[in-house]
Amino acid sequence: MSSTERATSGAERGEEPPVQSDAGPSAPTEDEPAVAELEAPGPAPPRGAVPKVLVPRWIQLVSLPLTVIGLVLVIRAAKGVVLLFVVAGVIALILNPVVAFLQRRSLPRGIAVLAVYVGFFITLAAIGFFVSSAVVDQINSFAKDVPHLIKHANRSLLDFQRTLNKHGIHVHLIKQGKTALQTLQEKVLKESSTIASFGGSVLTKLVSVGFDAVLVFVLSVYMLLYGEKIGVLVRRIMPPGDGTPQDDYPTRVQRAVSSYVRGQLLFSLVMGTTTALSLYLFGVIGVFPDGRTYAVAFGVFDGVMELIPYVGPVLAAVPPVLVALFSNPITALWVALLFLALQQLEGHIVAPQIFSHTLRINPLLVILALLLGDAIYGLVGAIIALPCAAVLRETGLYLWRHLELEGWERGHGL
């Protein structure tokens, strides 16, 4: 029977005529298993063997300069806005592990965020109360000793002036001091309008800082509330990992910031304790008698000031040196030398060892990050420089692992 007759008989029985391909007759029946084998999905790649995303040369050539120019323009145009979002992001990353822990205990994320902030402020107030009780006692003791310290300082100054007079050096220190006080008083009275204007500008600055602090607080709350959605969005933007927490970009960033927090708290604890013990030792051996009395207050103050890069260690030395200066200028010199030695210990041994271990960043890069942060955003930039450097390090390592740049072999076009 011909093909036409078979088609006619099939149509009479209500069957659909066979569809003929334009490329000719269909493949033989024995080839169908091979085709099915080609179309079947292959075995899943093993864990850790995720293929890298190839970035073509033309994208590299265009995107790199555009990215650099865009970042520079954005930072210049919205310098303050970027800083607020970065600070809020750092705070959110610091608090997010606690929020996630509460979520795993069946708390809704909104309630967990509220509980974390309430707990944070309650803990801060409790620590401040217990620590301040000891500090306030020592401050009150110092306030009671101030008249005695001033009298002792005047006596030491008078003895020093008599010693100079015996050696033929006639310098009237006390008279010059009184004259200086009188001159300062007259200057203050004359410049009262300038002082009032300065006070108004300071008040305006405090209001602006307070508004920024409230805005940072609100932004960090929203970032925590939408943290899971932000993580999903980041995973879509970044190249895919292998599915393990060790190769998940948001998880790596979170761990980097948590490591910074642990390192900073350990650093402040070590330096504050070292300062308190050193001042107490100075008091025991008689170099700085008041050091034994105010060791706890000065140690706590030093630990808090260590959270501020650059100026923090200098500010931490001011109260002990002033107290020592009331006692004796030579004592103040010894205390100043002690803090200078502690700063050298901090900069060359403690800080590099702690932060290089917790952040896994070379100490030179730590110093570079602090300098860049201070140059871009001042003191606040220096404070957030290290957590930002930790995030950038994890970003670079993740991209290095999952991106493959197309080569620039000679003779190939774009």
Side-chain angles (χ1 to χ4, degrees):
M1 182 183 294
S2 64
S3 60
T4 304
E5 293 174 349
R6 286 197 301 268
T8 303
S9 63
E12 291 176 354
R13 294 192 303 267
E15 299 177 357
E16 291 292 335
V19 180
Q20 297 292 333
S21 173
D22 295 338
S26 58
T29 306
E30 54 268 22
D31 292 338
E32 291 180 359
V35 174
E37 183 179 352
L38 290 174
E39 293 177 352
R47 279 173 120 39
V50 179
K52 293 186 176 182
V53 179
L54 183 65
V55 180
R57 290 188 297 269
W58 68 271
I59 292 183
Q60 302 175 39
L61 184 63
V62 174
S63 62
L64 181 60
L66 289 180
T67 302
V68 173
I69 294 173
L71 288 176
V72 172
L73 292 177
V74 168
I75 291 175
R76 286 185 177 180
K79 191 173 182 180
V81 176
V82 173
L83 178 61
L84 293 178
F85 271 85
V86 171
V87 173
V90 171
I91 294 175
L93 285 172
I94 291 173
L95 298 179
N96 186 63
V98 187
V99 175
F101 173 79
L102 294 178
Q103 270 193 293
R104 291 194 294 269
R105 298 300 182 271
S106 303
L107 274 181
R109 190 169 182 86
I111 303 299
V113 172
L114 177 62
V116 165
Y117 272 101
V118 171
F120 171 75
F121 288 118
I122 291 177
T123 304
L124 191 64
I127 293 175
F129 174 77
F130 288 112
V131 173
S132 63
S133 60
V135 175
V136 166
D137 291 341
Q138 296 193 12
I139 291 176
N140 291 333
S141 176
F142 172 70
K144 293 178 181 178
D145 292 341
V146 166
H148 171 71
L149 293 174
I150 293 177
K151 187 182 296 184
H152 182 72
N154 289 332
R155 190 183 304 116
S156 300
L157 190 62
L158 182 60
D159 293 340
F160 184 61
Q161 179 175 324
R162 289 173 179 172
T163 302
L164 293 178
N165 292 337
K166 287 182 181 179
H167 291 82
I169 304 174
H170 300 285
V171 179
H172 301 286
L173 298 176
I174 298 179
K175 182 178 180 181
Q176 288 183 1
K178 292 181 179 179
T179 305
L181 290 176
Q182 294 173 357
T183 305
L184 179 62
Q185 182 179 1
E186 295 175 358
K187 188 69 174 176
V188 168
L189 292 175
K190 289 180 181 179
E191 301 295 335
S192 59
S193 60
T194 305
I195 295 174
S197 175
F198 175 75
S201 63
V202 170
L203 181 61
T204 304
K205 185 66 175 178
L206 289 177
V207 171
S208 176
V209 171
F211 177 78
D212 291 342
V214 172
L215 187 57
V216 166
F217 170 74
V218 173
L219 288 174
S220 63
V221 169
Y222 275 104
M223 289 180 179
L224 283 173
L225 290 175
Y226 295 99
E228 294 178 342
K229 295 182 179 179
I230 294 174
V232 172
L233 178 61
V234 170
R235 290 185 181 93
R236 290 179 180 177
I237 295 174
M238 299 296 287
D242 60 8
T244 62
Q246 291 75 19
D247 198 34
D248 182 61
Y249 176 70
T251 304
R252 291 173 65 96
V253 169
Q254 181 66 76
R255 289 177 177 174
V257 176
S258 300
S259 298
Y260 160 75
V261 173
R262 290 194 302 270
Q264 184 63 64
L265 293 178
L266 178 61
F267 177 70
S268 296
L269 178 63
V270 169
M271 293 309 303
T273 304
T274 304
T275 300
L277 292 177
S278 301
L279 291 175
Y280 185 82
L281 181 62
F282 264 34
V284 170
I285 64 179
V287 176
F288 179 36
D290 294 314
R292 182 169 55 180
T293 305
Y294 309 117
V296 174
F298 292 151
V300 171
F301 183 72
D302 183 87
V304 174
M305 289 298 102
E306 291 296 341
L307 299 174
I308 306 175
Y310 298 120
V311 298
V314 178
L315 294 177
V318 172
V321 172
L322 287 179
V323 173
L325 191 60
F326 280 119
S327 176
N328 194 320
I330 303 300
T331 303
L333 178 60
W334 278 110
V335 174
L337 291 176
L338 170 64
F339 274 88
L340 181 62
L342 290 176
Q343 290 176 13
Q344 297 301 314
L345 177 69
E346 166 193 337
H348 293 89
I349 298 178
V350 180
Q353 291 297 324
I354 291 179
F355 286 111
S356 63
H357 177 71
T358 56
L359 299 181
R360 293 177 294 175
I361 299 178
N362 189 282
L364 291 176
L365 296 180
V366 171
I367 297 174
L368 177 61
L370 292 172
L371 294 176
L372 289 178
D374 179 70
I376 297 175
Y377 290 118
L379 182 60
V380 179
I383 293 175
I384 64 174
L386 290 183
C388 291
V391 172
L392 291 176
R393 176 187 181 275
E394 292 299 328
T395 303
L397 291 177
Y398 187 84
L399 292 177
W400 180 265
R401 180 176 181 179
H402 292 285
L403 288 182
E404 182 178 359
L405 302 180
E406 188 176 357
W408 290 81
E409 291 83 0
R410 210 177 271 181
H412 289 191
L414 295 178

